[in-house]
Amino acid sequence: MYPFFSRRIFHAIIVLLGVSLLTFVMMNLAPGDPYHLDPELRFNPEAVARWKELRQLDQPLHVQYFSWLKNMLQGDFGISLVHNKPVWELMMERVPATLLLTGTSLLVSLLISIPLGVFSALRKGSFWDQVISSFTLGGVSIPNFWLGMLLILFFSYHFKWLPAAGMRTVGMEFSLLDYLKHLLLPTVVLSVASAAYFIRYVRAGVWEVIQQDYIITARAKGLGDMTILLRHVLRNAALPLITVISLHLPYLFTGAMLTEYVFSWPGMGRWIVSATLSRDYPSVMAINIMVAFLVTLFNLVADLLYASFDPRIKYR
Amino acid sequence: MEKPLLEVKDLAVNFKREEGFFKAVEGISFKIWPREVVGLVGESGSGKTAASLSLLNLTSSRGKVGGEVFFDGVNILTLPERKLKKFRGRQIGVIFQEPMTFLNPVLTIGVQIMEPMVEHWKISWGQARERALYLLSEMGIKDSERRMKEYPHQLSGGIRQRVMISMALACSPRLLIADEPTTALDVTLQYQIIELLRRIREKTPMAILLVSHDLEVVRELCDRVMIMYGGRIVETGGIREIFKDPLHPYTRSLVEVSPSFERVAWRLPGEDAPFSYQSNIPAGCRFQHRCSRVSRECKGAEPSLKEIGGKGWIGNSFSFHRQVRCWKYQEGALEKDEKPL
Amino acid sequence: MILGKRVQKNKIFIFSLVIITGLFLMALFAPHLVSHDPLKTETENWLTPPGPDNWFGTDRLGRDIYSRVVFGSRISLSIGFISAAIMIFTGTLLGALAGYYGGIVDNLIMRLTDIIIVFPVLFLIITLISLFDSGFIHIILIIGFTGWPVVARLVRAEFMSLRERDFVQAIRALGASDLRIITRHILPNALDPIVVAATLSVPAAILAEAGLSFLGLGIPAPVPTWGNILREAHGYFRQAWWYAAFPGAFIFVTVMAFNLLGESLKDLLDS
């Protein structure tokens, strides 16, 4: 088991190094130098040289890379070119919002998809299975920003039930209800695609498990349907689902970016858009690293979870 | 006189498939008496596994089971699933042929042995554990404490099959269906499992339906045997009669090429049953394409299962008839008589 | 022949193909299908609801939304197809190399894949766009060159299993060159899943472009694309539901048609 764990952790570290290297290369591909933006520096070669020296930009690339990496590990992602604030501070303001939205959506979509997927698999080919399948097709096909706009149109503008934007009512004291109201629509929008995607996998996974010989054994023992489902079917079907969830995470973040934009949700997704539009490279790169880091971390956790749940993997 | 433990009347199993209607089992009837060990022999595709699984309605959802199955006088096929479950595992235990795929890979074998007891007897896991340990040691498994915590993939094939048997015996069923219990094992293990089944047979009052393609395994364990071909029973009789005087040409071919006991791993000759779908079933006798003494009569109408001779007895309480489904069985018998002994 | 019969049986396949063909014809004959110049502004007619003159209403500058949506299909479909082609080509090439050669080649390619795959696609695309500017060609290339890892993994798995098959071993023993084995013997056998992946890459690329344009990072205005129209609509759809409803519905239907096509194709090829 330990060789498997350490191999996985090593693998994750390699991926993270690659992510940082790729990001570094992209940053250096950026057209023009950052100091071009500063009017005082632009016509003063001496000042430029000093500016470069200060930021070690006169060093060879690999030296720059390692010092950049070192800074990053200490939480120094540089200074935002737009906000004139450390990127790290900006990030800490926004990461929680994104994690709240993605985390809630992940939870909601799993709560929806597991029962529906199981139901669909057990009643494969039935009317309700077809209804659910149509829903999943729609769910994976609908552009979530469009869905968000439609929901805002109905629930915020037409019926005025729910707020259309932001994380809380500005100027209002903290109230859980207010937070939940703001969270509801974005969560629905972000959950639709994930839920549809998970339903398909749960359905296929459960269907495959119930074809297995050991389910006949369980039936031959005279076990109750619920016992068979929970103890024999779901335990086996849940394992691949862990992998599916971790592979889905990047798509969840992509969806979150668009959702945040539609609902003016103060998270990383909105931030990367504004940072890109204003060419705030340090921010863009920091967001990329952060998101990739989060995904890698979740993938690692998923793999380790898988390994500790599946008795077969420990001995490989 | 005692009543039969199991009485099967006109059992049929049909599978709906894309290509058509697949008749795995057609109109078979038999009885099993308490404490009796009956063999059901046939090659793959003969319908023997479908027949044995259909007794508990365990065929997949695409399989339709027809006919009647009386267990202790109750027609269990008409019972709702909820009541049928009370028979599965508790009254009738099943041993499957491939312990690797028929054991759940993510549950410890302890849980898998204990769960039928917890389900049917409503006892605690702790109490079930006592009996599971006892069963495992009865099966000749050493350090059963440790084995209980292991997973199927950690066990050897022989141990897995012993686990499977313990599972089937957990609730002391009155009938044990053993579907090819030795097929997936290598020769020495086959022998050990046969010995184990023989011991179980002697120690418990349970009746056994042994499903196998291997006549030698059946000869070792059974009182009586039924031979299946193409979804039909073609011959039945006491084990000694069948080996001494096979009547159906198919049985005869099985018995004649049957090896001595040492070669347990022997398999049946010829290919699988050549017809599986309704449209492919020939008019007349189903064995005609592989029969050496086929005549016009055999191609006309299918012979019925005729009762031959007087009653046979097992112990002093159960009687049965010798049956054969062949137009020409007497010719076979004659020829056999002509042979010098 | 057998496939032909199954195709006839599979109504979903036909249905999705009909929709896609319709969309294609719409893109091809766009100038003949519209009554208005999609770029012509008539500010006095702004935000007119759908009516006999403007079927889908008008936008904030009085442009005819129907004409803009019809012309938008050109961008969406061409980006969808060309980007998907790049994804499939790159993914197949890298996946084939990794799967066929294994060892260090495999390791290098797969680590690269692992690295790219942990970036959420749109984040990576946006970052690249911030470096290279957005423009039709750039967007096609960027979407294409960020979407290949999934295809590469799939092709690699196919190649790895096919490589070990007897017929490949036999051909190799006869001294066929690697290139010949890969292109003539393995690739044709791995084609089914690649075709399915290709079909499913098109909607992914279309959604990526729509998302980008919606965020204002795609094809620059005033070129009508479905995502661009939705972006403009974002500020106005409270007053004018039609502004967002129609272009979004077109994205939805197009993506759904390709997803349906891909799935029915998978069923057809699997059975």
Side-chain angles (χ1 to χ4, degrees):
Chain A
M1 188 150 173
Y2 292 108
F4 173 81
F5 276 16
S6 46
R7 204 169 63 228
R8 270 297 183 247
I9 292 169
F10 177 72
H11 184 215
I13 292 172
I14 296 287
V15 167
L16 283 178
L17 278 178
V19 163
S20 67
L21 192 63
L22 186 66
T23 315
F24 182 76
V25 169
M26 288 198 290
M27 203 150 65
N28 277 280
L29 282 177
D33 283 318
Y35 54 81
H36 279 171
L37 292 171
D38 193 328
E40 281 187 29
L41 290 175
R42 213 184 305 177
F43 305 107
N44 188 344
E46 226 172 85
V48 168
R50 208 166 346 108
W51 192 89
K52 278 189 165 182
E53 196 187 331
L54 202 65
R55 288 163 182 75
Q56 297 185 312
L57 290 179
D58 53 343
Q59 303 282 322
L61 274 180
H62 65 272
V63 177
Q64 285 186 42
Y65 170 68
F66 283 114
S67 71
W68 175 72
L69 196 63
K70 203 177 118 204
N71 288 341
M72 221 166 41
L73 288 176
Q74 293 163 346
D76 177 8
F77 286 83
I79 308 286
S80 160
L81 299 181
V82 174
H83 297 268
N84 249 329
K85 258 167 117 179
V87 173
W88 177 250
E89 271 178 38
L90 296 166
M91 186 124 71
M92 283 307 104
E93 290 164 15
R94 288 161 174 84
V95 168
T98 297
L99 286 184
L100 176 68
L101 180 59
T102 48
T104 322
S105 298
L106 194 60
L107 199 68
V108 167
S109 47
L110 284 174
L111 287 177
I112 294 171
S113 59
I114 292 174
L116 285 184
V118 169
F119 176 84
S120 242
L122 297 181
R123 300 266 184 280
K124 198 174 179 186
S126 70
F127 171 73
W128 286 109
D129 174 37
Q130 285 172 12
V131 170
I132 292 170
S133 293
S134 314
F135 167 77
T136 61
L137 176 74
V140 296
S141 304
I142 197 164
N144 73 1
F145 49 96
W146 184 59
L147 178 66
M149 288 163 81
L150 294 184
L151 292 185
I152 290 174
L153 195 63
F154 278 104
F155 293 102
S156 308
Y157 295 161
H158 191 74
F159 294 113
K160 301 194 176 12
W161 287 340
L162 292 164
M167 229 171 127
R168 61 195 180 89
T169 310
V170 180
M172 204 170 122
E173 273 181 62
F174 173 82
S175 127
L176 189 65
L177 186 69
D178 184 53
Y179 264 89
L180 289 179
K181 272 178 153 180
H182 281 84
L183 190 58
L184 186 60
L185 283 185
T187 304
V188 169
V189 166
L190 189 53
S191 304
V192 164
S194 313
Y197 183 77
F198 294 154
I199 285 175
R200 294 180 160 198
Y201 275 91
V202 173
R203 179 175 180 265
V206 169
W207 173 248
E208 204 190 308
V209 171
I210 60 179
Q211 310 291 311
Q212 298 296 316
D213 289 342
Y214 53 79
I215 299 303
I216 302 182
T217 312
R219 288 176 60 214
K221 287 179 189 171
L223 302 179
D225 289 343
M226 260 305 159
T227 313
I228 295 181
L229 185 65
L230 296 177
R231 193 182 296 155
H232 289 267
V233 177
L234 283 189
R235 257 192 215 218
N236 280 283
L239 287 170
L241 186 66
I242 296 178
T243 311
V244 167
I245 294 171
S246 88
L247 288 178
H248 181 67
L249 282 174
Y251 299 93
L252 189 68
F253 278 110
T254 288
M257 163 157 54
L258 291 159
T259 310
E260 286 178 6
Y261 191 83
V262 176
F263 289 95
S264 308
W265 191 262
M268 287 194 292
R270 251 171 76 80
W271 183 27
I272 194 176
V273 177
S274 58
T276 305
L277 288 170
S278 55
R279 308 271 138 140
D280 184 358
Y281 295 121
S283 298
V284 174
M285 297 308 158
I287 298 166
N288 265 307
I289 294 253
M290 191 64 192
V291 176
F293 172 74
L294 287 173
V295 172
T296 312
L297 192 70
F298 280 123
N299 285 349
L300 181 67
V301 171
D303 276 353
L304 300 186
L305 269 181
Y306 194 120
S308 46
F309 277 133
D310 190 340
R312 285 163 295 188
I313 220 162
K314 293 174 193 169
Y315 297 87
R316 262 183 212 156
Chain B
M1 205 165 93
E2 275 185 81
K3 279 193 199 157
L5 181 64
L6 183 81
E7 186 170 2
V8 176
K9 286 184 183 167
D10 217 18
L11 184 74
V13 185
N14 293 316
F15 288 97
K16 225 158 103 188
R17 297 213 179 138
E18 242 179 76
E19 301 91 331
F21 227 39
F22 175 91
K23 292 195 164 186
V25 177
E26 233 184 315
I28 70 173
S29 306
F30 60 89
K31 291 174 187 169
I32 295 179
W33 302 86
R35 291 187 292 284
E36 197 187 13
V37 181
V38 181
L40 184 60
V41 176
E43 56 203 328
S44 56
S46 63
K48 59 187 192 306
T49 296
S52 60
L53 289 183
S54 65
L55 299 180
L56 281 169
N57 210 352
L58 284 174
T59 49
S60 71
S61 52
R62 283 169 307 173
K64 282 269 173 292
V65 181
E68 294 169 310
V69 174
F70 293 94
F71 184 86
D72 215 8
V74 184
N75 186 348
I76 55 178
L77 285 188
T78 57
L79 290 178
E81 186 79 4
R82 179 173 49 84
K83 287 192 175 158
L84 184 55
K85 279 182 191 304
K86 303 228 185 296
F87 285 85
R88 292 179 183 152
R90 184 182 208 171
Q91 305 283 0
I92 306 178
V94 189
I95 303 173
F96 296 97
Q97 58 172 301
E98 176 47 81
M100 187 67 209
T101 61
F102 278 92
L103 289 173
N104 191 324
V106 302
L107 295 178
T108 61
I109 62 155
V111 168
Q112 298 190 58
I113 297 172
M114 291 184 281
E115 60 178 357
M117 297 184 256
V118 173
E119 180 82 24
H120 292 300
W121 290 344
K122 312 285 178 224
I123 57 174
S124 71
W125 288 92
Q127 289 166 307
R129 197 180 135 76
E130 294 292 308
R131 179 161 165 79
L133 288 170
Y134 166 76
L135 282 167
L136 284 177
S137 55
E138 276 293 288
M139 295 302 127
I141 292 177
K142 289 166 201 127
D143 53 1
S144 44
E145 291 267 356
R146 182 171 61 92
R147 294 293 188 197
M148 291 276 281
K149 294 189 201 99
E150 293 191 327
Y151 292 91
H153 68 274
Q154 291 169 266
L155 309 176
S156 67
I159 306 254
R160 265 185 230 131
Q161 192 56 292
R162 284 160 207 263
V163 168
M164 180 74 97
I165 297 172
S166 326
M167 242 164 61
L169 298 183
C171 293
S172 308
R174 292 162 70 193
L175 173 67
L176 178 69
I177 299 174
D179 181 13
E180 306 263 15
T182 60
T183 308
L185 305 173
D186 66 44
V187 182
T188 42
L189 288 173
Q190 285 192 356
Y191 183 75
Q192 289 174 13
I193 296 294
I194 290 171
E195 280 305 305
L196 187 63
L197 288 172
R198 203 205 302 275
R199 258 199 17 244
I200 293 167
R201 182 200 152 159
E202 276 150 23
K203 277 180 91 169
T204 65
M206 178 175 63
I208 301 178
L209 176 65
L210 179 69
V211 181
S212 181
H213 67 259
D214 193 332
L215 215 48
E216 285 307 322
V217 175
V218 170
R219 187 185 202 169
E220 282 300 305
L221 293 168
C222 298
D223 306 315
R224 204 152 60 80
V225 62
M226 305 180 286
I227 314 278
M228 274 188 88
Y229 185 82
R232 294 271 202 200
I233 289 182
V234 294
E235 184 165 1
T236 71
I239 195 81
R240 270 194 229 117
E241 293 173 292
I242 292 278
F243 274 90
K244 206 178 109 204
D245 183 21
L247 294 177
H248 197 283
Y250 178 58
T251 316
R252 190 172 314 123
S253 69
L254 295 185
V255 171
E256 274 169 9
V257 294
S258 182
S260 60
F261 172 68
E262 284 74 36
R263 289 172 55 206
V264 189
W266 173 84
R267 280 171 184 270
L268 286 181
E271 49 205 271
D272 286 0
F275 42 88
S276 311
Y277 299 100
Q278 206 171 5
S279 50
N280 296 343
I281 295 175
C285 178
R286 299 189 173 191
F287 190 59
Q288 54 180 282
H289 299 300
R290 288 164 75 185
C291 186
S292 53
R293 58 190 79 226
V294 61
S295 70
R296 184 173 299 161
E297 199 180 10
C298 304
K299 292 181 178 169
E302 191 181 3
S304 60
L305 196 60
K306 278 194 274 290
E307 292 186 1
I308 311 290
K311 282 182 177 178
W313 292 87
I314 289 174
N316 346 333
S317 41
F318 316 127
S319 67
F320 61 89
H321 287 283
R322 185 84 198 272
Q323 293 169 306
V324 64
R325 188 190 290 277
C326 178
W327 293 117
K328 303 267 179 179
Y329 68 91
Q330 280 156 325
E331 286 175 29
L334 274 175
E335 195 180 283
K336 186 92 183 171
D337 288 343
E338 285 158 11
K339 277 184 185 170
L341 288 166
Chain C
M1 278 308 285
I2 298 162
L3 194 65
K5 259 188 193 163
R6 291 225 179 89
V7 167
Q8 280 172 14
K9 255 170 58 181
N10 198 327
K11 293 196 181 77
I12 294 173
F13 181 78
I14 304 284
F15 174 72
S16 48
L17 211 57
V18 167
I19 294 184
I20 290 167
T21 314
L23 287 164
F24 246 106
L25 293 176
M26 184 173 93
L28 201 62
F29 296 109
H32 305 281
L33 292 173
V34 301
S35 43
H36 299 69
D37 177 350
L39 298 178
K40 192 175 151 236
T41 58
E42 291 175 41
T43 30
E44 66 276 17
N45 281 336
W46 73 306
L47 298 183
T48 326
D53 193 38
N54 305 101
W55 294 350
F56 294 174
T58 62
D59 70 4
R60 66 195 163 119
L61 298 173
R63 294 173 296 197
D64 180 42
I65 293 178
Y66 166 70
S67 311
R68 288 178 69 74
V69 167
V70 169
F71 270 90
S73 67
R74 293 186 152 190
I75 306 276
S76 285
L77 288 180
S78 43
I79 285 187
F81 271 89
I82 304 172
S83 299
I86 295 173
M87 284 182 210
I88 293 298
F89 178 78
T90 320
T92 306
L93 181 71
L94 292 175
L97 290 176
Y100 184 78
Y101 288 106
I104 185 131
V105 180
D106 181 32
N107 249 314
L108 279 176
I109 294 176
M110 280 304 112
R111 291 302 80 80
L112 182 64
T113 312
D114 290 343
I115 290 163
I116 294 185
I117 228 160
V118 297
F119 285 101
V121 169
L122 217 46
F123 281 71
L124 198 57
I125 292 176
I126 285 182
T127 309
L128 289 172
I129 281 175
S130 77
L131 306 179
F132 293 116
D133 279 330
S134 54
F136 185 64
I137 301 294
H138 277 151
I139 288 195
I140 284 180
L141 290 176
I142 287 170
I143 293 178
F145 282 116
T146 46
W148 58 264
V150 181
V151 184
R153 283 190 170 176
L154 183 112
V155 174
R156 170 178 176 265
E158 286 291 319
F159 266 66
M160 279 175 75
S161 73
L162 285 168
R163 182 181 65 180
E164 302 304 330
R165 294 268 280 277
D166 292 342
F167 76 97
V168 175
Q169 300 291 353
I171 295 157
R172 191 182 292 163
L174 289 174
S177 70
D178 286 350
L179 183 69
R180 196 178 161 78
I181 296 174
I182 291 176
T183 54
R184 290 292 164 81
H185 298 282
I186 301 187
L187 196 58
N189 283 292
L191 219 51
D192 286 1
I194 297 178
V195 167
V196 173
T199 318
L200 294 175
S201 299
V202 175
I206 290 177
L207 273 182
E209 183 274 329
L212 271 184
S213 296
F214 175 71
L215 296 172
L217 299 163
I219 312 284
V223 178
T225 77
W226 294 338
N228 271 349
I229 306 174
L230 278 179
R231 172 176 179 73
E232 296 159 16
H234 191 211
Y236 293 89
F237 69 106
R238 186 171 190 170
Q239 302 97 302
W241 59 269
W242 57 88
Y243 204 162
F246 292 105
F250 269 77
I251 301 176
F252 185 29
V253 169
T254 310
V255 170
M256 189 145 68
F258 278 103
N259 279 334
L260 266 181
L261 186 73
E263 266 158 44
S264 49
L265 208 54
K266 194 156 135 199
D267 288 348
L268 283 172
L269 297 172
D270 275 356
S271 56

